[in-house]
Amino acid sequence: AQKITQTQPGMFVQEKEAVTLDCTYDTSDQSYGLFWYKQPSSGEMIFLIYQGSYDEQNATEGRYSLNFQKARKSANLVISASQLGDSAMYFCAMTAAGGSYIPTFGRGTSLIVHP
Amino acid sequence: DGGITQSPKYLFRKEGQNVTLSCEQNLNHDAMYWYRQDPGQGLRLIYYSQIVNDFQKGDIAEGYSVSREKKESFPLTVTSAQKNPTAFYLCASSIPGTGRFITEAFFGQGTRLTVV
């Protein structure tokens, strides 16, 4: 079975600073994908970044990067130069063959960016 | 523009009533999912379908039913058997993964259901 753990219910960061949101995962599959989504107060789920288990380079998308440490089974999201608009819930998710490629989500981290 | 449309955005239900949440996608995705979101619980899988005319129970299927008669549509019915239906419901779709080919899920805007 797949499992995603996000241990930070809430995080605070000063505007323009970097912040790391933690995510650990558990799977016995060799092939899997890791995702981060942003959910603002409106409720929509916005896809941010993807990391495949076979990718050797950490994924980056603009101000978002994914710190992928396979041996530790962690996939932390790093947001550089935080902006007020980054305040939202952030969810880590995984799909894997053993789970029929159905996305499994963590409980989320609430990020608040202070001016 | 391709995407997923959920309706209505807000829904109020009296106790004992069945209600149906609509989910339509024009992304040509085979796989569709329904999730329930409660504060502090993350997204929990209710039902999923990976092909037309077939669907499977997720982790919290009790009190819910679905159908998948068309590729584009995956409606969710919240029945009177669901004891605590007040929640935010999200529909998603994706291209089914195979081997190393894995893509992200796309989500609708969600339906907020409240029992009154």
Side-chain angles (χ1 to χ4, degrees), chain A residues 32-106:
Chain A
Y32 52 88
L34 296 157
F35 304 84
W36 278 93
Y37 290 84
K38 173 183 178 181
Q39 186 182 45
S41 57
S42 59
E44 61 186 311
M45 294 285 282
I46 302 167
F47 165 69
L48 295 178
I49 196 167
Y50 164 77
Q51 179 85 41
S53 59
Y54 292 103
D55 296 338
E56 295 186 356
Q57 302 278 345
N58 285 344
T60 60
E61 289 288 347
R63 296 187 297 111
Y64 305 107
S65 61
L66 199 153
N67 185 358
F68 181 46
Q69 299 191 36
K70 197 169 184 176
R72 298 179 59 186
K73 293 191 174 180
S74 74
N76 298 339
L77 177 71
V78 180
I79 305 174
S80 63
S82 297
Q83 302 172 356
L84 296 179
D86 293 334
S87 295
M89 285 290 293
Y90 289 81
F91 291 95
C92 181
M94 175 173 66
T95 66
S100 300
Y101 296 101
I102 299 163
T104 299
F105 288 82

Side-chain angles (χ1 to χ4, degrees), chain B residues 32-77:
Chain B
M32 296 188 74
Y33 318 90
W34 274 105
Y35 291 92
R36 170 178 170 145
Q37 185 178 12
D38 297 282
Q41 295 277 352
L43 276 67
R44 294 183 290 169
L45 183 68
I46 305 173
Y47 269 97
Y48 66 96
S49 168
Q50 293 181 314
I51 196 167
V52 175
N53 291 322
D54 185 57
F55 49 83
Q56 305 295 328
K57 292 181 179 180
D59 301 319
I60 56 166
E62 185 175 351
Y64 300 98
S65 65
V66 293
S67 64
R68 188 85 187 276
E69 297 176 0
K70 299 186 300 181
K71 188 175 186 177
E72 303 79 17
S73 179
F74 192 41
L76 173 74
T77 296

